[in-house]
PDB file of all heavy atoms in Angstrom:
ATOM      1  N   CYS A  18     169.253 -42.222-101.178  1.00  0.00           N
ATOM      2  CA  CYS A  18     167.810 -42.019-101.105  1.00  0.00           C
ATOM      3  C   CYS A  18     167.072 -43.276-101.521  1.00  0.00           C
ATOM      4  O   CYS A  18     167.561 -44.036-102.341  1.00  0.00           O
ATOM      5  CB  CYS A  18     167.400 -40.832-101.981  1.00  0.00           C
ATOM      6  SG  CYS A  18     167.807 -41.033-103.721  1.00  0.00           S
ATOM      7  N   CYS A  19     165.894 -43.452-100.926  1.00  0.00           N
ATOM      8  CA  CYS A  19     165.018 -44.577-101.287  1.00  0.00           C
ATOM      9  C   CYS A  19     165.699 -45.927-101.057  1.00  0.00           C
ATOM     10  O   CYS A  19     165.520 -46.863-101.827  1.00  0.00           O
ATOM     11  CB  CYS A  19     164.556 -44.477-102.749  1.00  0.00           C
ATOM     12  SG  CYS A  19     163.709 -42.950-103.143  1.00  0.00           S
ATOM     13  N   HIS A  20     166.554 -46.022-100.030  1.00  0.00           N
ATOM     14  CA  HIS A  20     167.271 -47.280 -99.837  1.00  0.00           C
ATOM     15  C   HIS A  20     166.464 -48.293 -99.050  1.00  0.00           C
ATOM     16  O   HIS A  20     166.768 -49.468 -99.060  1.00  0.00           O
ATOM     17  CB  HIS A  20     168.584 -47.014 -99.096  1.00  0.00           C
ATOM     18  CG  HIS A  20     168.390 -46.742 -97.632  1.00  0.00           C
ATOM     19  ND1 HIS A  20     168.016 -45.515 -97.166  1.00  0.00           N
ATOM     20  CD2 HIS A  20     168.488 -47.563 -96.546  1.00  0.00           C
ATOM     21  CE1 HIS A  20     167.915 -45.543 -95.845  1.00  0.00           C
ATOM     22  NE2 HIS A  20     168.196 -46.783 -95.443  1.00  0.00           N
ATOM     23  N   GLY A  21     165.450 -47.817 -98.346  1.00  0.00           N
ATOM     24  CA  GLY A  21     164.727 -48.733 -97.474  1.00  0.00           C
ATOM     25  C   GLY A  21     164.118 -49.897 -98.208  1.00  0.00           C
ATOM     26  O   GLY A  21     164.235 -51.052 -97.810  1.00  0.00           O
ATOM     27  N   GLN A  22     163.479 -49.618 -99.310  1.00  0.00           N
ATOM     28  CA  GLN A  22     162.822 -50.685-100.074  1.00  0.00           C
ATOM     29  C   GLN A  22     163.846 -51.648-100.663  1.00  0.00           C
ATOM     30  O   GLN A  22     163.660 -52.848-100.671  1.00  0.00           O
ATOM     31  CB  GLN A  22     161.987 -50.052-101.197  1.00  0.00           C
ATOM     32  CG  GLN A  22     161.182 -51.076-101.992  1.00  0.00           C
ATOM     33  CD  GLN A  22     160.332 -50.407-103.041  1.00  0.00           C
ATOM     34  OE1 GLN A  22     160.333 -49.184-103.157  1.00  0.00           O
ATOM     35  NE2 GLN A  22     159.604 -51.193-103.788  1.00  0.00           N
ATOM     36  N   LEU A  23     164.947 -51.073-101.137  1.00  0.00           N
ATOM     37  CA  LEU A  23     165.992 -51.909-101.704  1.00  0.00           C
ATOM     38  C   LEU A  23     166.581 -52.827-100.644  1.00  0.00           C
ATOM     39  O   LEU A  23     166.780 -54.005-100.862  1.00  0.00           O
ATOM     40  CB  LEU A  23     167.089 -51.013-102.302  1.00  0.00           C
ATOM     41  CG  LEU A  23     168.384 -51.724-102.753  1.00  0.00           C
ATOM     42  CD1 LEU A  23     168.072 -52.676-103.894  1.00  0.00           C
ATOM     43  CD2 LEU A  23     169.434 -50.703-103.177  1.00  0.00           C
ATOM     44  N   HIS A  24     166.880 -52.251 -99.488  1.00  0.00           N
ATOM     45  CA  HIS A  24     167.520 -53.023 -98.429  1.00  0.00           C
ATOM     46  C   HIS A  24     166.652 -54.208 -98.000  1.00  0.00           C
ATOM     47  O   HIS A  24     167.139 -55.320 -97.789  1.00  0.00           O
ATOM     48  CB  HIS A  24     167.803 -52.107 -97.241  1.00  0.00           C
ATOM     49  CG  HIS A  24     168.605 -52.765 -96.163  1.00  0.00           C
ATOM     50  ND1 HIS A  24     169.961 -52.934 -96.256  1.00  0.00           N
ATOM     51  CD2 HIS A  24     168.223 -53.309 -94.966  1.00  0.00           C
ATOM     52  CE1 HIS A  24     170.417 -53.535 -95.165  1.00  0.00           C
ATOM     53  NE2 HIS A  24     169.368 -53.769 -94.365  1.00  0.00           N
ATOM     54  N   SER A  25     165.367 -53.970 -97.908  1.00  0.00           N
ATOM     55  CA  SER A  25     164.492 -55.050 -97.459  1.00  0.00           C
ATOM     56  C   SER A  25     164.359 -56.149 -98.489  1.00  0.00           C
ATOM     57  O   SER A  25     164.253 -57.312 -98.137  1.00  0.00           O
ATOM     58  CB  SER A  25     163.104 -54.483 -97.129  1.00  0.00           C
ATOM     59  OG  SER A  25     162.524 -53.918 -98.297  1.00  0.00           O
ATOM     60  N   CYS A  26     164.405 -55.782 -99.754  1.00  0.00           N
ATOM     61  CA  CYS A  26     164.236 -56.813-100.780  1.00  0.00           C
ATOM     62  C   CYS A  26     165.485 -57.678-100.920  1.00  0.00           C
ATOM     63  O   CYS A  26     165.434 -58.771-101.481  1.00  0.00           O
ATOM     64  CB  CYS A  26     163.886 -56.191-102.135  1.00  0.00           C
ATOM     65  SG  CYS A  26     165.278 -55.348-102.921  1.00  0.00           S
ATOM     66  N   LEU A  27     166.653 -57.193-100.412  1.00  0.00           N
ATOM     67  CA  LEU A  27     167.883 -57.956-100.566  1.00  0.00           C
ATOM     68  C   LEU A  27     168.085 -58.985 -99.465  1.00  0.00           C
ATOM     69  O   LEU A  27     168.912 -59.870 -99.589  1.00  0.00           O
ATOM     70  CB  LEU A  27     169.094 -57.001-100.574  1.00  0.00           C
ATOM     71  CG  LEU A  27     169.210 -56.088-101.789  1.00  0.00           C
ATOM     72  CD1 LEU A  27     170.386 -55.154-101.628  1.00  0.00           C
ATOM     73  CD2 LEU A  27     169.357 -56.902-103.050  1.00  0.00           C
ATOM     74  N   LEU A  28     167.393 -58.827 -98.354  1.00  0.00           N
ATOM     75  CA  LEU A  28     167.615 -59.750 -97.257  1.00  0.00           C
ATOM     76  C   LEU A  28     167.106 -61.136 -97.628  1.00  0.00           C
ATOM     77  O   LEU A  28     165.939 -61.305 -97.988  1.00  0.00           O
ATOM     78  CB  LEU A  28     166.889 -59.248 -95.992  1.00  0.00           C
ATOM     79  CG  LEU A  28     167.447 -57.950 -95.407  1.00  0.00           C
ATOM     80  CD1 LEU A  28     166.601 -57.527 -94.209  1.00  0.00           C
ATOM     81  CD2 LEU A  28     168.899 -58.123 -94.993  1.00  0.00           C
ATOM     82  N   PRO A  29     167.970 -62.155 -97.575  1.00  0.00           N
ATOM     83  CA  PRO A  29     167.542 -63.505 -97.956  1.00  0.00           C
ATOM     84  C   PRO A  29     166.678 -64.122 -96.877  1.00  0.00           C
ATOM     85  O   PRO A  29     166.760 -63.757 -95.707  1.00  0.00           O
ATOM     86  CB  PRO A  29     168.870 -64.265 -98.086  1.00  0.00           C
ATOM     87  CG  PRO A  29     169.797 -63.559 -97.154  1.00  0.00           C
ATOM     88  CD  PRO A  29     169.381 -62.115 -97.184  1.00  0.00           C
ATOM     89  N   PRO A  30     165.845 -65.073 -97.244  1.00  0.00           N
ATOM     90  CA  PRO A  30     165.038 -65.758 -96.240  1.00  0.00           C
ATOM     91  C   PRO A  30     165.921 -66.590 -95.322  1.00  0.00           C
ATOM     92  O   PRO A  30     167.009 -67.010 -95.680  1.00  0.00           O
ATOM     93  CB  PRO A  30     164.114 -66.654 -97.076  1.00  0.00           C
ATOM     94  CG  PRO A  30     164.837 -66.852 -98.362  1.00  0.00           C
ATOM     95  CD  PRO A  30     165.582 -65.576 -98.602  1.00  0.00           C
ATOM     96  N   ALA A  31     165.423 -66.811 -94.109  1.00  0.00           N
ATOM     97  CA  ALA A  31     166.199 -67.599 -93.141  1.00  0.00           C
ATOM     98  C   ALA A  31     166.377 -69.018 -93.640  1.00  0.00           C
ATOM     99  O   ALA A  31     165.482 -69.609 -94.250  1.00  0.00           O
ATOM    100  CB  ALA A  31     165.485 -67.601 -91.794  1.00  0.00           C
ATOM    101  N   ALA A  32     167.565 -69.545 -93.389  1.00  0.00           N
ATOM    102  CA  ALA A  32     167.857 -70.915 -93.833  1.00  0.00           C
ATOM    103  C   ALA A  32     167.034 -71.902 -93.034  1.00  0.00           C
ATOM    104  O   ALA A  32     166.844 -71.754 -91.825  1.00  0.00           O
ATOM    105  CB  ALA A  32     169.342 -71.213 -93.646  1.00  0.00           C
ATOM    106  N   LYS A  33     166.535 -72.887 -93.729  1.00  0.00           N
ATOM    107  CA  LYS A  33     165.744 -73.912 -93.056  1.00  0.00           C
ATOM    108  C   LYS A  33     166.660 -74.880 -92.328  1.00  0.00           C
ATOM    109  O   LYS A  33     167.669 -75.302 -92.848  1.00  0.00           O
ATOM    110  CB  LYS A  33     164.909 -74.692 -94.087  1.00  0.00           C
ATOM    111  CG  LYS A  33     163.896 -73.839 -94.806  1.00  0.00           C
ATOM    112  CD  LYS A  33     163.097 -74.675 -95.787  1.00  0.00           C
ATOM    113  CE  LYS A  33     162.055 -73.826 -96.501  1.00  0.00           C
ATOM    114  NZ  LYS A  33     161.289 -74.615 -97.469  1.00  0.00           N
ATOM    115  N   LYS A  34     166.293 -75.178 -91.110  1.00  0.00           N
ATOM    116  CA  LYS A  34     167.093 -76.107 -90.330  1.00  0.00           C
ATOM    117  C   LYS A  34     166.788 -77.537 -90.753  1.00  0.00           C
ATOM    118  O   LYS A  34     165.644 -77.915 -90.930  1.00  0.00           O
ATOM    119  CB  LYS A  34     166.806 -75.937 -88.844  1.00  0.00           C
ATOM    120  CG  LYS A  34     167.208 -74.567 -88.294  1.00  0.00           C
ATOM    121  CD  LYS A  34     166.937 -74.482 -86.817  1.00  0.00           C
ATOM    122  CE  LYS A  34     167.362 -73.128 -86.271  1.00  0.00           C
ATOM    123  NZ  LYS A  34     167.106 -73.011 -84.823  1.00  0.00           N
ATOM    124  N   ILE A  35     167.877 -78.294 -90.922  1.00  0.00           N
ATOM    125  CA  ILE A  35     167.730 -79.691 -91.323  1.00  0.00           C
ATOM    126  C   ILE A  35     167.716 -80.553 -90.076  1.00  0.00           C
ATOM    127  O   ILE A  35     168.716 -80.657 -89.375  1.00  0.00           O
ATOM    128  CB  ILE A  35     168.874 -80.127 -92.248  1.00  0.00           C
ATOM    129  CG1 ILE A  35     168.936 -79.187 -93.457  1.00  0.00           C
ATOM    130  CG2 ILE A  35     168.728 -81.559 -92.677  1.00  0.00           C
ATOM    131  CD1 ILE A  35     170.098 -79.482 -94.357  1.00  0.00           C
TER     132      ILE A  35
END
Side-chain angles (χ1 to χ4, degrees):
C18 60
C19 303
H20 75 279
Q22 184 177 359
L23 171 64
H24 187 78
S25 62
C26 73
L27 292 177
L28 293 177
K33 297 181 179 179
K34 296 182 179 180
I35 304 176

